[in-house]
Amino acid sequence: MAKKQKQQQSGGTPATVALTTAGVPYELHAYDHDPAHPSYGEEAAEAMGVSPDRVFKTLVADVDGTLTVAVVPVAGQLDLKALASAVGGKRATMADPTLAERTTGYVRGGISPLGQRKKLRTVLDDSATTHPTICISAGRRGLEVELSPKDLTSLTQAVLAPIGRA
């Protein structure tokens, strides 16, 4: 319990703690979150001055009864059929937001593919590999982490697949 409080006091999130523990290089980007903004991901891209195709959102879906994390560019949408196919499933739907929050340990708009309470299988849109670095949620609204797609894939044991669409 004391360890968790110490991480929160130092400003760390489970995602940044996971990166630090793994020795993975990353850059943290903080910005003032506007609760009125219609899109968490687009807000992050605008606030950081980064192209939306380099900022990725973390979505939780239900694929044949198994929660699965999908990481796609904020500039597009998740193709649920492609996600199901990427993990050998038949059907995917978006997960219940409350279940996603409870399972990952993060709040909606701050869900990170790293440091989740329960490790979920992860699929990263293959467009990530066209960039030297991408930005993902660091585990809370208004905080993004920039890292290489290779490191993200390795840490999450992600499958790379074309799961995003414009």
Side-chain angles (χ1 to χ4, degrees), residues 27-39:
E27 188 174 339
L28 209 53
H29 299 277
Y31 60 92
D32 291 327
H33 167 63
D34 176 6
H37 201 289
S39 167

Side-chain angles (χ1 to χ4, degrees), residues 80-164:
L80 288 165
K81 190 172 184 175
L83 174 64
S85 178
V87 295
K90 294 182 181 189
R91 185 170 185 270
T93 58
M94 293 306 298
D96 172 71
T98 303
L99 179 60
E101 289 180 343
R102 188 175 38 231
T103 305
T104 64
Y106 293 116
V107 296
R108 202 171 58 117
I111 294 178
S112 177
L114 299 167
Q116 296 178 353
R117 182 177 290 148
K118 179 181 178 189
K119 186 172 172 62
L120 301 175
R121 66 182 173 181
T122 302
V123 181
L124 174 61
D125 185 70
D126 61 0
S127 69
T129 62
T130 65
H131 306 287
T133 61
I134 60 170
C135 298
I136 58 169
S137 176
R140 69 173 176 246
R141 297 172 188 155
L143 193 63
E144 294 279 311
V145 64
E146 183 176 349
L147 75 166
S148 79
K150 182 180 176 186
D151 286 336
L152 178 61
T153 302
S154 176
L155 284 173
T156 59
Q157 300 173 331
V159 171
L160 286 170
I163 59 168

Side-chain angles (χ1 to χ4, degrees), residues 7-26:
Q7 290 170 359
Q8 290 173 345
Q9 289 171 353
S10 67
T13 66
T16 60
V17 169
L19 288 165
T20 301
T21 300
V24 170
Y26 67 92

